Amino acid sequence: PRPQTRFTRVPEAACVLLACGLLVVACAAGIRAAMVTADERMATPSGEIVIRPLAHASVRIDFAGRVIYVDPWSGAGLEQQPLADLIVVTDADAGAHHLDPAAIRRLRKPGAPVVIPASGLAVVPDGIVMNNDARRAFGNVTVEATAAYDVTPGAPFHAKGVANGYILTLGGKRLLFAGVTECVPEIRVLANIDVAFLPMNLPNGRMTPSAVAACVRTMRPKVAYPYHYDQGYIGRLAGRGAPTGGADAAESVRSLATLLAGVAEVRAADWYPPR
């Protein structure tokens, strides 16, 4: 018989959330939100997928002997990370937490493909451009570029067609990395998503917990990761910004878990460790 999808975690505290750099136990009946300090493991007929959240929007995926990075960022502490067989970049903000040329140089194996939106060519001249709705296979990994943009006005504004989200298909399982976006129609119609990484708490009320929850209810992924949600993290590390920002961000994850109890597994990974 065909193996079933299996989500496991290395045993840790049942439910742990980050608040101002402290680990706070926060379990509520019926809510399955857990601080994923270990790997997320997912069985497929072609081998195990291991998903490792790194920092903010940066994620590493291991599958069938290959290492894949989404938005590798130097701020994630990449010194001990293995070299990449494939890198995908969602947005072209050079030097920041999506398109980071230093991180790409550090991780890229010679000749490894780097998938980018067209706006990133100035930074990665040999990058492989994928526009929204494009699809391409890289060995045993299929990459589909999805639309990533804002509909709510105000700064910063992310225009349609400038950035990408991606669906990575590995061993028949579909992982969505939505990038910086609202829950636009192109995302709402996605189907058969096993794990969805969705941004939360973008400025000007974009993708609040309630908006992310509505998006998850439409897409129905098995597992939902909020990411890209603590916009003040870097500022606080440098002594700027509201000192309560970390607690506020952690509270938004708890709110999302409450809203999605019984709908999807919500993961609250350790995206923002004190450094």
Side-chain angles (χ1 to χ4, degrees):
R2 181 184 179 92
Q4 294 183 341
T5 301
R6 173 174 58 86
F7 297 96
T8 62
R9 269 166 272 146
V10 174
E12 295 283 346
C15 293
V16 186
L17 292 171
L18 183 65
C20 285
L22 299 177
L23 296 180
V24 179
V25 175
C27 289
I31 298 174
R32 298 188 65 185
M35 175 64 71
V36 179
T37 54
D39 304 333
E40 181 86 16
R41 296 179 181 272
M42 184 176 173
T44 83
S46 302
E48 190 174 54
I49 300 170
V50 182
I51 304 171
R52 294 183 170 94
L54 298 178
H56 195 50
S58 186
V59 184
R60 169 184 156 194
I61 307 110
D62 294 0
F63 174 67
R66 305 184 74 195
V67 178
I68 305 153
Y69 288 93
V70 179
D71 288 351
W73 175 43
S74 298
L78 304 175
E79 294 79 10
Q80 303 302 317
Q81 298 296 332
L83 297 182
D85 297 285
L86 172 65
I87 295 171
V88 297
V89 174
T90 62
D91 206 350
D93 55 346
H97 49 264
H98 296 291
L99 180 51
D100 181 346
I104 292 173
R105 288 193 298 269
R106 161 69 183 80
L107 293 173
R108 187 182 189 183
K109 287 182 179 178
V114 179
V115 175
I116 56 173
S119 52
L121 270 177
V123 179
V124 189
D126 64 343
I128 297 172
V129 172
M130 291 185 65
N131 297 318
N132 295 170
D133 300 323
R135 177 188 176 101
R136 181 163 176 167
F138 298 90
N140 57 358
V141 180
T142 300
V143 179
E144 301 171 65
T146 62
Y149 61 96
D150 292 337
V151 293
T152 304
F157 186 79
H158 305 91
K160 186 175 182 179
V162 175
N164 291 331
Y166 297 100
I167 299 170
L168 305 184
T169 302
L170 312 91
K173 307 306 175 186
R174 287 160 56 84
L175 316 181
L176 170 67
F177 299 89
V180 181
T181 185
E182 292 187 71
C183 193
V184 295
E186 296 90 336
I187 291 179
R188 291 199 297 269
V189 299
L190 295 177
N192 302 318
I193 300 297
D194 293 285
V195 181
F197 286 77
L198 295 166
M200 190 169 66
N201 284 350
L202 299 182
N204 297 308
R206 303 183 190 118
M207 292 298 269
T208 61
S210 60
V212 175
C215 201
V216 170
R217 288 177 181 276
T218 300
M219 295 167 41
R220 293 281 176 168
K222 296 178 179 67
V223 171
Y225 274 89
Y227 77 153
H228 200 280
Y229 57 81
D230 190 346
Q231 306 301 316
Y233 174 68
I234 299 172
R236 289 198 308 279
L237 291 182
R240 305 187 305 272
T244 60
D248 294 340
E251 177 57 35
S252 69
V253 177
R254 288 191 286 272
S255 297
L256 180 66
T258 301
L259 290 167
L260 289 175
V263 177
E265 295 279 348
V266 176
R267 301 284 194 262
D270 189 5
W271 298 107
Y272 304 103
R275 297 192 186 283

